[in-house]
Amino acid sequence: MARIIGGIATSHSPTLGFALDTHKQNDPVWKPMFDGYVPVLKWLAEKRPDVLLIIYNDHITSFFYDHYSQFALGIGDSYATADEGGGPRRLPPVCGDAKLAQHIGAALVADEFDMSFFQGKTMDHGFFSPLSMLWPHEPDWPGKVVPLQVGVLLFPIPSAMRCYKLGQSLRKAILTYPEDISVAIVATGGLSHQVHGERGGFNNTEWDLHFMEMIEKDPVKLTEITIADYARLGGLEGSEIVMWLVMRGALSANVRKVHQSYYLPTMTALATMILEEFSMEAPAETLADFREKMEYQLKGIEKLEGTYPYTLARSLKGHRLNHFLHELIRPEHRKRFLEDPETLFKEFQLTSEECDLVRRRDWQGMIHYGVSFFMLEKMGAVLGISNLHIYAAMRGQPFEEFIKTRNAPGALYSVAGDPPAKFSNGSAGAKEQKATVATK
């Protein structure tokens, strides 16, 4: 069974990464900040957690306002540094624990949290600034991560209570994970700061120190504070410290603080804290009860012949090929796919199996591999193939036989905005498809 060894709280200001990358450890301006991380580095080196579950917020780098979620869980197996405008930091990618993340994702949804899931995204300073201060990383990181992105930059944002309850659900998820691993919960953000408007530069040390005391001793009291009051006390951007309550909710009621630091050099109050588990309180639900709850909604679906729910695990396995096919919504990608698919395959680093599936238009094989049907219909639209031809191929039936089972056999269609006058044969090879489309 997995176990939680404690929680770490840390600021995630870009100043952390800047000072580390420019070797400011002995600079009098930055030394107090580095000194605050020494006990955290030592604690992690002694405890050697297998996984850090990192609660952070992206700074509109990989998560833009066109689709902004309140809670997004990373389910990938690798995370690289993002380019925030001046090039990415020179840090190695960190491995994700995809299996643990999938378990956590299923658990949170079962506990009525409406989660988003992501993979294939790069991580900005909200994630890597603190991580690079916590773990040595040359040449590689010593463990794996599970990132949890909290949307605190588009209001309304999650309340303090919602964050605390999410942490409680996280605790159940982790402690019921069947593998024997240790997990440390890392909360990032804060402390007091405001970086925009006429109030920019606001800090409140008295509030910061009070908050740090309360997060240890009376976190429930902090859940009663509104976001407006968090902004009043600690600056609007400082209200991101509600993310610390996710970490606190994932720990037992009684914790032991073994370290705390605080330093205010410029715009953001920089802090660290370690809270150790005082007792390993088990979830109220037994492992069997919790697993039954997690599996309840999909129980028995595996008995439906020829049916493949697009699970988190299938999404991870098929991500590279799904991404390749999703790019067909872009005109230049479509053009290159039709004219020189082999070069495109190499650019997207498709495996030989994935290339073969696309070359042969193996619709059924792609479904079995982990491709979403809605990528197949995009590919069909590009190639002038109707959805009905794809359906027949997935069923393993000749098109002529399948179409007879429909009430309106002549009702062919696709998602193409400019459909062909006549649809192509869905089983045609690449050269034939290219010729057919070229004559439209």
Side-chain angles (χ1 to χ4, degrees):
M1 296 285 288
R3 59 198 180 280
I4 297 171
I5 61 172
I8 296 170
T10 169
S11 303
H12 63 212
S13 168
T15 56
L16 302 175
F18 169 81
L20 183 66
D21 294 347
T22 53
H23 310 291
K24 302 289 187 182
Q25 285 88 339
N26 295 315
D27 186 318
V29 172
W30 300 105
K31 190 176 186 302
M33 179 192 77
F34 283 102
D35 288 346
Y37 281 90
V38 170
V40 188
L41 278 161
K42 182 179 179 182
W43 187 82
L44 284 170
E46 290 175 350
K47 300 294 183 180
R48 300 177 63 185
D50 298 295
V51 179
L52 299 183
L53 190 145
I54 303 178
I55 304 143
Y56 80 107
N57 72 275
D58 174 85
H59 296 81
I60 317 303
T61 304
S62 294
F63 294 82
F64 190 61
Y65 293 128
D66 58 349
H67 189 165
Y68 195 75
S69 302
Q70 294 211 329
F71 299 121
L73 184 70
I75 60 166
D77 50 21
S78 181
Y79 302 95
T81 53
D83 187 335
E84 299 185 59
R89 293 179 64 198
R90 295 178 179 87
L91 297 172
V94 61
C95 292
D97 191 327
K99 192 174 178 181
L100 173 62
Q102 291 163 22
H103 174 87
I104 290 172
L108 295 180
V109 171
D111 254 5
E112 306 297 337
F113 281 91
D114 300 323
M115 302 298 298
S116 293
F117 303 99
F118 70 90
Q119 57 187 306
K121 288 188 178 294
T122 53
M123 315 293 271
D124 74 1
H125 70 264
F127 180 89
F128 272 114
S129 269
L131 182 60
S132 60
M133 296 289 287
L134 299 176
W135 259 354
H137 45 271
E138 295 178 359
D140 297 308
W141 305 90
K144 296 182 179 181
V145 299
V146 173
L148 174 59
Q149 203 279 147
V150 182
V152 294
L153 297 181
L154 180 62
F155 294 84
I157 69 174
S159 68
M161 177 61 82
R162 188 64 171 161
C163 288
Y164 188 67
K165 288 182 176 180
L166 177 64
Q168 291 176 318
S169 187
L170 269 175
R171 181 175 182 81
K172 287 194 292 184
I174 294 169
L175 294 186
T176 55
Y177 185 61
E179 294 193 11
D180 182 21
I181 61 171
S182 59
V183 180
I185 313 295
V186 180
T188 76
L191 290 176
S192 65
H193 66 292
Q194 184 158 323
V195 296
H196 83 279
E198 291 79 0
R199 201 182 182 220
F202 174 85
N203 300 107
N204 186 346
T205 295
E206 182 181 357
W207 159 245
D208 290 338
L209 297 177
H210 177 67
F211 175 83
M212 294 179 81
E213 181 181 9
M214 295 293 285
I215 199 80
E216 173 198 359
K217 297 178 179 177
D218 194 1
V220 174
K221 192 70 175 177
L222 293 174
T223 68
E224 300 170 3
I225 300 176
T226 66
I227 297 300
D229 277 338
Y230 272 107
R232 176 179 60 83
L233 292 164
L236 186 66
E237 283 77 27
S239 62
E240 70 189 14
I241 58 173
V242 294
M243 293 190 291
W244 287 33
L245 283 162
V246 181
M247 176 271 290
R248 188 63 182 87
L251 303 181
S252 58
N254 297 314
V255 294
R256 178 174 53 250
K257 181 169 67 178
V258 298
H259 167 71
Q260 176 177 314
S261 71
Y262 181 86
Y263 180 51
L264 178 53
T266 176
M267 291 290 290
T268 303
L270 306 176
T272 61
M273 177 184 283
I274 302 172
L275 299 175
E276 285 189 344
E277 286 277 77
F278 192 73
S279 63
M280 285 298 293
E281 298 167 3
E285 296 168 293
T286 66
L287 175 59
D289 288 342
F290 190 75
R291 283 199 170 279
E292 185 175 350
K293 181 178 181 179
M294 289 175 59
E295 298 168 359
Y296 177 74
Q297 293 294 334
L298 289 177
K299 188 175 182 179
I301 202 168
E302 71 281 356
K303 297 177 182 178
L304 296 177
E305 187 177 351
T307 302
Y308 311 93
Y310 197 67
T311 61
L312 298 178
R314 286 178 65 80
S315 172
L316 178 63
K317 179 178 184 291
H319 178 70
R320 182 175 46 247
L321 184 51
N322 278 296
H323 175 57
F324 175 85
L325 296 175
H326 182 259
E327 288 294 293
L328 292 172
I329 66 175
R330 306 184 190 282
E332 178 59 26
H333 189 78
R334 291 198 292 271
K335 182 173 184 293
R336 295 186 64 199
F337 175 64
L338 293 172
E339 294 177 353
D340 187 12
E342 297 300 322
T343 298
L344 212 53
F345 292 162
K346 292 179 182 177
E347 289 181 15
F348 277 74
Q349 300 180 338
L350 299 190
T351 66
S352 58
E353 180 183 7
E354 291 165 344
C355 293
D356 185 60
L357 288 168
V358 176
R359 288 189 197 105
R360 293 189 295 106
R361 316 302 187 223
D362 187 349
W363 310 105
Q364 186 185 81
M366 282 188 276
I367 287 291
H368 292 170
Y369 183 78
V371 175
S372 163
F373 165 76
F374 302 101
M375 301 305 108
L376 300 188
E377 69 174 359
K378 289 173 175 57
M379 179 176 164
V382 172
L383 298 172
I385 298 170
S386 80
N387 278 33
L388 277 295
H389 283 87
I390 298 172
Y391 299 145
M394 288 190 299
R395 287 173 60 89
Q397 271 185 296
F399 174 74
E400 294 74 15
E401 290 183 14
F402 172 70
I403 205 68
K404 291 177 184 178
T405 68
R406 305 300 94 189
N407 291 332
L412 303 185
Y413 62 90
S414 82
V415 295
D418 183 20
K422 182 178 180 181
F423 285 110
S424 174
N425 181 344
S427 61
K431 291 182 180 179
E432 183 179 339
Q433 292 294 357
K434 181 176 176 180
T436 302
V437 175
T439 59
K440 287 199 299 182

